[in-house]
Amino acid sequence: AMELAEPLQAATLGVNLCLAGVGELSRLPRGTLLSFSSGVVLMVEEYNPPCVDMGAEIARLHRHSSGQQLAAEAFSQAAKFSRGLVGVVEVAGSVAVGDTFRVEPEQLPKWLR
């Protein structure tokens, strides 16, 4: 979306885990579980909005494909609802490249439905 000259690397964003195959990942609600084939379970806590400081750093490190300087707010605009999630570890372990996972929506107890 920012038309960068060089691809943006996950490490530049401080990503702990990259996932593929979940439509609208950033919109998963609090309480959703991500259960990995390794046994690890992560629970969604909240949406992780694009960081203004991160946008300034990306603008410093990258150029537009035209060679022009990026605007500091380019990242925040491009990453809106595509940034990621903050989660907590429910079941600890290791996740490896290629591990499969299931997205399990929060199941409210019957008395809360």
Side-chain angles (χ1 to χ4, degrees):
M2 293 186 294
E3 299 181 39
L4 299 176
E6 300 282 326
L8 187 61
Q9 300 298 313
T12 303
L13 300 173
V15 171
N16 299 100
L17 190 61
C18 283
L19 303 173
V22 181
E24 297 194 349
L25 174 76
S26 293
R27 294 181 188 263
L28 290 177
R30 173 180 279 167
T32 299
L33 298 177
L34 303 175
S35 298
F36 291 82
S37 55
S38 65
V40 169
V41 179
L42 304 176
M43 184 175 69
V44 174
E45 276 293 310
E46 63 183 325
Y47 170 67
N48 189 20
C51 174
V52 174
D53 293 336
M54 180 67 65
E57 181 67 3
I58 290 169
R60 185 182 72 75
L61 295 172
H62 291 272
R63 296 256 178 221
H64 188 273
S65 59
S66 68
Q68 297 292 323
Q69 178 77 32
L70 287 174
E73 62 276 359
F75 174 68
S76 291
Q77 292 172 357
K80 188 174 183 178
F81 297 114
S82 297
R83 175 65 176 99
L85 301 166
V86 176
V88 295
V89 176
E90 289 288 303
V91 178
S94 296
V95 176
V97 173
D99 281 358
T100 59
F101 65 95
R102 292 184 321 276
V103 175
E104 301 172 17
E106 178 182 32
Q107 295 296 314
L108 294 174
K110 287 184 180 181
W111 62 273
L112 281 176
R113 292 184 217 159

